């Protein structure tokens, strides 16, 4: 494995050993039976079907047809021309794809423009925390979600993680942009394109021997349950951390941030009956779908190492700040997830971050004066800023495109 050290293999071997033989198990621990009620969703009702057995039927049929008839180059050429929420869809798209996208780009009837504007202002004032948590924190959680780690690893994007990070960043900073849902924003564009990519992966990945061997019996990836697992690793996790860090939030800001991600989930193809209506509903669902499935995989450890190496090289040429990056990742996701991800312990930096970060947050929120912030905190602060610069610029010059193959080899 390129770039995967013997030390990290020992780390993951220990983690895997704690759960028995997980080479073919996915998820690492059995997900509990689905009991979450659709009355807690934005729809307020629903069939109550277990999302483990629900996918995205219309998108899946369409994209499979686009791939099978060889229309992916034509589709991607058209997708590259679509860059703004208010832009008419390019005429060069295949007709059936264009018709689907016209429907898929519409905001749900329950979308609230005022809340989306409040969320945009919230993203602007709290961008440092949100980008850090959705970027590093969400990234480290994603590699500890066995199904997600393996889906990424064995799909086309897993062979070039720098490009994969770039494409993921496009959606990430579209959601966090001040213009996100305004006419000149692009979150609708990036969400619909991502929905098409997910449909392509659902068609292609079952053809991958590597994925099939490790899927734990799942025959079609990225179910509605998997989508909500990923969703909770972003806004639900982020809200937990903001509250733990004592970042002052108004009820309007909290509700708006949730609404931003509710609308985004809808555009990504999640059924309304699975999208939580409140933060309490989100926490209840997260405890059922996310918390039980976290665990270690070889693929997750390898992807984590690549992601952290990219970050360390960005913040310091040659990666000399890798110990700081390791410690920051550990601080964000906790020791259990960090151990599953094979992230080495860094005692000095772990102590430094645990001491300095809460004071940095308090200083930014005008809760304590500058003299109480340790001098070392500004080294950590600069590393965070460099990461965010890396995260926000990584996607420039790339495009979210429909894949037509899995990971080579």
């Amino acid at each position: 494995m390129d770039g995967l050290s013997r030390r990290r293999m020992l780390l993951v071997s220990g983690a895997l050993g704690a759960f028995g033989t997980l080479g073919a198990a996915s998820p690492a621990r059995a997900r509990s039976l689905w009991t979450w009620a659709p009355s807690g969703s934005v729809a307020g009702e629903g069939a109550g079907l277990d999302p483990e057995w629900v996918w995205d039927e219309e998108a899946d049929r369409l994209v499979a047809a686009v791939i099978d008839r060889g229309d992916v180059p034509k589709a991607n050429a058209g997708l590259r021309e679509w860059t703004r929420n208010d832009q008419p869809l390019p005429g060069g798209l295949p007709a059936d794809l264009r018709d689907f996208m016209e429907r898929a780009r519409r905001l749900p009837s329950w979308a609230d423009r005022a809340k989306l504007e409040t969320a945009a202002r919230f993203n602007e004032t709290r961008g440092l925390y949100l980008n850090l948590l959705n970027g590093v924190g969400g990234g480290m959680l994603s590699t500890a979600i066995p199904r997600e780690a393996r889906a990424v690893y064995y799909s086309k994007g897993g062979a070039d993680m720098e490009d994969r990070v770039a494409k993921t960043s496009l959606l990430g900073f579209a959601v966090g942009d001040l213009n996100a849902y305004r006419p000149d924003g692009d979150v609708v564009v990036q969400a619909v394109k991502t929905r098409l990519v997910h449909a392509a992966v659902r068609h292609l990945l079952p053809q991958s021997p590597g994925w099939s061997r490790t899927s734990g019996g799942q025959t079609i990836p990225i179910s509605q349950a998997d989508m909500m697992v990923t969703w909770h690793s972003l806004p639900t996790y982020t809200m937990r951390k903001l509250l733990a860090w004592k970042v002052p939030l108004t009820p309007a800001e909290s509700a708006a941030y949730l609404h931003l991600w509710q609308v985004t989930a809808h555009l990504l193809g999640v059924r309304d009956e699975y999208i939580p209506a409140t933060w309490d509903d989100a926490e209840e669902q997260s405890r059922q779908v996310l918390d039980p499935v976290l665990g270690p995989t070889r693929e997750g450890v390898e992807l984590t190492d690549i992601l952290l190496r990219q970050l360390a090289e960005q913040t310091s040429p040659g990666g000399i700040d890798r110990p700081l990056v390791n410690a920051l990742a550990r601080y964000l996701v906790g020791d259990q997830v960090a151990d599953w991800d094979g992230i080495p312990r860094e005692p000095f930096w772990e102590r430094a971050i645990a001491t300095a970060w809460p004071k940095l947050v308090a200083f930014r929120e005008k809760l304590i004066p500058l003299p109480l912030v340790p001098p070392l905190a500004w080294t950590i602060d600069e590393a965070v800023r460099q990461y965010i610069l890396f995260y926000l610029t990584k996607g420039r010059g790339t495009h979210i495109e429909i894949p037509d193959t899995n990971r080579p080899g």
Side-chain angles (χ1 to χ4, degrees):
M1 275 170 283
D2 183 34
L4 193 61
S5 69
R6 181 176 181 274
R7 179 187 180 191
R8 288 188 185 86
M9 281 307 300
L10 291 173
L11 283 168
V12 75
S13 296
L16 289 166
F19 286 87
T21 304
L22 294 178
S26 180
R29 291 180 280 169
R31 183 174 68 87
S32 58
L33 292 175
W34 178 251
T35 59
W36 193 80
S39 58
S41 70
V42 295
E45 60 182 3
L49 297 175
D50 187 339
E52 175 74 1
W53 306 105
V54 181
W55 290 270
D56 190 355
E57 289 185 28
E58 184 181 9
D60 293 351
R61 285 195 303 270
L62 169 69
V63 176
V66 169
I67 294 172
D68 291 344
R69 68 182 184 236
D71 264 352
V72 170
K74 179 180 180 181
N76 284 334
L79 289 176
R80 280 193 289 273
E81 296 177 19
W82 187 37
T83 60
R84 284 172 51 122
N85 294 335
D86 63 349
Q87 180 184 347
L89 292 177
L93 288 165
D96 54 353
L97 178 60
R98 192 175 191 277
D99 289 345
F100 170 79
M101 290 170 61
E102 284 289 9
R103 298 190 300 275
R105 71 187 295 185
R106 298 172 190 156
L107 298 191
S109 60
W110 44 264
D112 186 322
R113 286 287 182 181
K115 284 186 177 180
L116 293 174
E117 283 297 313
T118 300
R121 292 191 295 273
F122 177 66
N123 274 312
E124 185 178 34
T125 59
R126 298 296 198 280
L128 186 139
Y129 310 135
L130 299 177
N131 288 322
L132 177 65
L133 291 168
N134 287 323
V136 179
M140 295 303 98
L141 279 179
S142 72
T143 53
I145 300 169
R147 282 185 177 178
E148 185 167 349
R150 286 167 173 148
V152 169
Y153 187 89
Y154 291 107
S155 62
K156 183 178 180 179
D160 184 352
M161 281 303 293
E162 186 164 341
D163 184 64
R164 177 64 163 74
V165 169
K167 286 178 167 58
T168 302
S169 297
L170 282 174
L171 177 61
F173 61 67
V175 173
D177 192 78
L178 181 62
N179 295 334
Y181 278 97
R182 294 174 184 170
D184 58 341
D186 68 338
V187 71
V188 174
V189 173
Q190 307 303 349
V192 172
K193 289 181 180 180
T194 301
R195 183 178 178 182
L196 297 175
V197 170
H198 288 164
V201 171
R202 279 189 286 267
H203 180 62
L204 294 168
L205 209 52
Q207 304 169 36
S208 163
W211 181 81
S212 298
R213 189 175 60 251
T214 60
S215 68
Q218 188 183 37
T219 56
I220 305 173
I222 319 180
S223 68
Q224 294 274 296
D226 294 327
M227 292 283 290
M228 290 314 299
V229 166
T230 299
W231 190 89
H232 287 297
S233 73
L234 295 164
T236 307
Y237 157 76
T238 293
M239 184 53 64
R240 286 178 183 174
K241 299 301 288 187
L242 291 176
L243 294 174
W245 291 348
K246 298 181 172 58
V247 176
L249 306 173
T250 67
E253 288 173 331
S254 177
Y257 187 64
L258 174 61
H259 191 66
L260 171 71
W261 282 96
Q262 289 168 332
V263 176
T264 303
H266 176 93
L267 289 172
L268 287 167
V270 177
R271 293 190 183 185
D272 288 356
E273 67 177 275
Y274 299 129
I275 303 173
T278 68
W279 283 118
D280 286 342
D281 294 318
E283 283 289 347
E284 180 185 350
Q285 189 185 93
S286 180
R287 285 191 292 270
Q288 182 169 132
V289 301
L290 172 62
D291 299 353
V293 304
L294 295 170
T297 63
R298 179 189 66 81
E299 295 86 353
V301 170
E302 185 169 349
L303 293 175
T304 299
D305 184 56
I306 293 169
L307 292 171
L308 292 181
R309 186 169 69 244
Q310 288 179 359
L311 173 55
E313 290 171 352
Q314 175 69 18
T315 56
S316 176
I320 60 174
D321 284 338
R322 178 63 186 267
L324 191 158
V325 170
N326 291 339
L328 178 61
R330 275 190 167 272
Y331 182 73
L332 292 173
V333 298
D335 287 337
Q336 180 65 87
V337 171
D339 287 344
W340 286 334
D341 279 341
I343 302 172
R345 300 299 303 248
E346 307 290 352
F348 170 79
W349 281 113
E350 288 174 42
R351 288 191 299 269
I353 291 172
T355 300
W357 185 253
K359 290 183 169 58
L360 269 172
V361 172
F363 171 70
R364 287 197 184 95
E365 300 302 323
K366 300 180 174 58
L367 300 176
I368 64 170
L370 178 60
L372 295 181
V373 182
L376 188 60
W378 304 108
T379 300
I380 298 167
D381 188 65
E382 181 58 23
V384 169
R385 291 179 184 278
Q386 288 295 323
Y387 170 75
I388 291 172
L389 178 65
F390 166 75
Y391 174 68
L392 293 178
T393 60
K394 198 66 182 170
R396 304 301 184 192
T398 192
H399 305 276
I400 296 176
E401 297 183 327
I402 300 172
D404 57 3
T405 187
N406 291 312
R407 182 187 181 111

